[in-house]
């Protein structure tokens, strides 16, 4: 009977004719494993991306739509020596828990055997220099073998299984030399015992396994701790919702069965499963994930709500705008996943070094054994030295040096309200020494109000609002909201940095810059708030000026002061009129500013600063900022930004405060410092340890302790990235 495997329901569209699937992979322990998996999968035709996340042992795959069966990836991973299956958060966590328990059992067996074998070895050590009879020594050696051999067979399973899978597929991994070293030590000890020799190494072999298991158990648990942020975020997702299927009839349905336009019921104590707008009811809701505010928000008719929000008191009816994978929470989750899976420059460097591990370490161990034999040593001592070299050169520390810092720093940034959207964003942000802010929607809040709406004829204001619905600019969104517009004008076209236009009843209408609408002459004749932005509307020969105002973000002044304390240059580039930009610049204490700039002007200024050697951080939102965000050395956008800007930005920050900008800079600088420290620790360890092991003064036991210690030291150092931001408010 032929069995077919259908993994299509795990596949999702990634846009532009690309499909995506996440696979959980067992047996991934180091950067060498990551590199081997990625190279093996990328060799498959039509695969566009294969990226391993070492933290949760997940591989993200993308390929051209309709060209490959996902089952082929699982088969390919099996050929490489790794068991794989579709990634599901709950099952992956259950697998991790089971593996953690198994490692703990192996560690318990190895530790118990180590204590007993050491009790037998100490009399042998002392007896060899006194009057112990050969028969007594042999008896203690056989007792040690009786304890150590079965204990090693059980406790060594995590290493032996992984090594066997690799070798059976004609490949190697870091567990191959470890397994060879342990087996050589046990085999030599058994031969020595049979030949009535004075020395056996059962104690060293079983203690070696104990040290290795301690290192692996701590490694796995630290990985689980660094995944805590992503796990907590996943817990915010509601899997079902109460959908109205009739005027007064509801049905509890999966989120995937809900579509935009549906109406759902949100009861007290429930977590919202969709993005939408309240159409009936009144309640307090907790939206701290999106707004950053810990205080509850009053929700009533017209209030937007987001997936992950908690309803506190009353019952709400919500009209759905997005559900399932289209919600803001899903987008945040994808950004966080991108950050954890991304590759930085330093990580790519560590990957290349780890890739050379297997051939180099095996060659080094073989040369060491032959060298000692040529120098006159016996085969016994030469092999013991070779075993020490095999173990001490394990690249765990090098493989963990960068990804652990990146994972911990990504989690710390998320807690501060920042999401990474680029693999090397941390490193580039750490280098930033000049910040350019857009004003509208960045230094100011995205919430706007049309202050002179009463002066505009109602029919004109309604038409302007409908036209504004076709624009991504926050000022246009304010006009649409103030006008209560519901239906956009068909055929409207937006011109980046200028405005939006359409034809209604044979008459062209425009909304945007006064110059775009031919209304420059009207600006001076209207009394406007100096801090307000100006947007013009034209209908045929008629021209109107709308005054739109927004307040500064509540902590903008503190953030600007904090940037100055860090010797970072600051300037404002805005397409807004001069009086509004001057008012904002003076309020914030920013000396360098430019008003009325176009997207091309912003790019020209960024390029000018680049030529001077500046590393520019661009912070902006709106469609007209997308080109300058891409041109900067590194870029950030608020979560309220237009989708195009978020896609272009390297980092996205949540909530109303501007404080995440400072938190991100501080975290990035600390993380880069720790990455460099970890690389030097890993490289320095091997530079010092390998020659010492080759010299023969290191036993396999000491080698195991040194190898595990270097990995634990790197991970502990990485955890320092959790708290990097200095207090400034």
């Amino acid at each position: 009977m032929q069995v077919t495997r259908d993994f299509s329901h795990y596949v999702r569209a990634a846009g532009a004719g690309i499909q995506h699937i996440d696979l959980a992979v067992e047996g991934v322990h180091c950067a060498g494993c990551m590199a081997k998996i990625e190279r093996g999968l990328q060799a498959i035709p039509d695969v566009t991306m294969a990226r391993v996340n070492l933290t949760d042992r997940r591989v993200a795959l993308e390929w051209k739509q309709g060209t490959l069966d996902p089952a082929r990836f699982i088969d390919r991973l099996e050929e490489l020596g790794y068991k794989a299956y579709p990634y599901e958060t709950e099952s992956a966590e259950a697998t991790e828990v089971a593996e953690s328990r198994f490692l703990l059992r192996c560690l318990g067996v190895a530790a118990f055997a180590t204590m007993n074998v050491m009790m037998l070895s100490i009399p042998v050590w002392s007896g060899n220099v006194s009057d112990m009879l050969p028969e007594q020594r042999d008896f203690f050696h056989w007792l040690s073998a009786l304890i150590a051999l079965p204990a090693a067979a059980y406790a060594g399973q995590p290493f032996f299984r992984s090594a066997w899978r690799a070798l059976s597929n004609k490949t190697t991994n870091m567990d191959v030399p470890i397994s060879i070293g342990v087996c050589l030590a046990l085999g030599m000890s058994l031969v020595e015992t049979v030949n009535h020799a004075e020395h056996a190494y059962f104690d060293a072999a079983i203690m070696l396994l104990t040290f290795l298991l301690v290192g692996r158990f701590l490694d796995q648990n630290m990985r689980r701790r660094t995944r805590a942020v992503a796990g907590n975020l996943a817990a915010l997702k509601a899997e079902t919702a109460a959908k109205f299927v009739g005027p007064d009839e509801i049905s509890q349905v999966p989120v995937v069965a809900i579509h935009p336009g549906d109406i759902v019921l949100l009861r007290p104590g429930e977590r919202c499963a969709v993005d939408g707008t309240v159409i009936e009811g009144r309640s307090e809701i907790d939206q701290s994930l999106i707004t950053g505010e810990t205080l509850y928000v009053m929700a009533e008719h017209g209030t937007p709500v987001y997936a992950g929000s908690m309803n506190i008191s009353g019952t709400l009816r919500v009209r759905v705008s997005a559900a399932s994978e289209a919600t803001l929470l899903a987008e945040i989750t994808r950004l966080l996943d991108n950050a954890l899976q991304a590759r930085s420059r330093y990580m790519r460097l560590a990957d290349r070094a780890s890739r050379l591990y297997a051939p180099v370490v095996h060659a080094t161990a073989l040369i060491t054994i032959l060298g000692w034999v040529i120098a006159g040593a016996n085969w016994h001592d030469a092999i013991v030295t070779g075993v020490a070299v095999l173990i001490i050169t394990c690249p765990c520390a090098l493989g963990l040096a960068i990804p652990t810092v990146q994972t911990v720093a990504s989690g710390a940034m998320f807690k501060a309200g920042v999401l990474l959207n680029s693999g090397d964003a941390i490193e580039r942000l750490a280098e930033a020494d000049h910040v350019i802010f857009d004003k509208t929607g960045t230094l100011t809040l995205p919430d706007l109000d049309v202050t002179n709406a009463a002066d505009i004829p109602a029919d004109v204001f309604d038409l302007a609002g409908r036209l504004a619905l076709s624009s991504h600019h926050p000022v246009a969104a304010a006009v649409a909201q103030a006008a209560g517009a519901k239906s956009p004008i068909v055929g409207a076209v937006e011109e980046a940095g200028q405005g939006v236009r359409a034809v209604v009843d044979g008459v062209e209408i425009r909304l945007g810059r006064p110059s775009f609408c031919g209304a420059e002459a009207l600006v001076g004749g209207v009394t406007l708030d100096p801090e307000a932005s100006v947007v013009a509307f034209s209908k045929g020969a008629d021209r109107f000026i709308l005054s739109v105002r927004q307040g500064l973000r509540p902590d903008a002044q503190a953030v600007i002061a904090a940037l100055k304390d860090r010797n970072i240059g600051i300037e404002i580039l805005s397409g807004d009129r001069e009086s509004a930009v001057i008012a904002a610049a003076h309020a914030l204490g920013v000396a360098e500013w430019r008003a009325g700039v176009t997207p091309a002007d912003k790019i020209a200024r960024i390029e000018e600063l680049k030529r001077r050697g500046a590393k520019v951080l661009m912070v902006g939102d709106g469609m007209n900022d997308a080109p300058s965000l891409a041109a900067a050395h590194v870029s950030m956008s608020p979560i309220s930004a237009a989708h195009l800007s978020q896609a272009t930005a390297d980092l996205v920050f949540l909530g109303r405060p501007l404080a995440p900008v400072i938190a991100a800079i501080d975290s990035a600088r600390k993380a880069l410092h720790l990455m460099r420290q970890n690389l030097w620790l890993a490289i320095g360890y091997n530079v010092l340890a390998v020659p010492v092991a080759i010299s023969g003064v290191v036993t396999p036991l000491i080698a195991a302790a040194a190898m595990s210690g270097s990995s634990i030291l790197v991970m502990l150092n990485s955890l320092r990235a959790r708290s990097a931001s200095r207090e400034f408010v």
Side-chain angles (χ1 to χ4, degrees), residues 61 191 317 479 570 573 627 639 650 701:
L61 279 157
V191 170
R317 289 195 182 199
V479 173
I570 308 164
L573 297 182
I639 197 68
D650 299 305
L701 179 59

Side-chain angles (χ1 to χ4, degrees), residues 496-552:
Q498 298 297 321
V500 59
R501 55 182 172 81
V503 176
V504 176
D505 297 330
V507 179
E508 184 179 60
I509 59 174
R510 294 189 174 204
L511 179 76
R513 289 174 176 267
S515 58
F516 178 68
C517 300
E520 302 98 320
L522 293 180
V523 176
V526 180
T527 302
L528 298 171
D529 185 331
E531 295 186 20
S533 299
V534 171
V535 60
F537 177 73
S538 66
K539 179 183 178 183
D542 297 328
R543 306 285 187 271
F544 302 90
I545 295 295
L546 305 177
S547 175
V548 181
R549 178 176 178 173
Q550 57 184 176
L552 293 172

Side-chain angles (χ1 to χ4, degrees), residues 176-191:
V176 171
I178 288 175
S179 300
I180 292 174
V182 171
C183 292
L184 278 175
L186 290 171
M188 286 176 53
S189 299
L190 192 59
V191 170

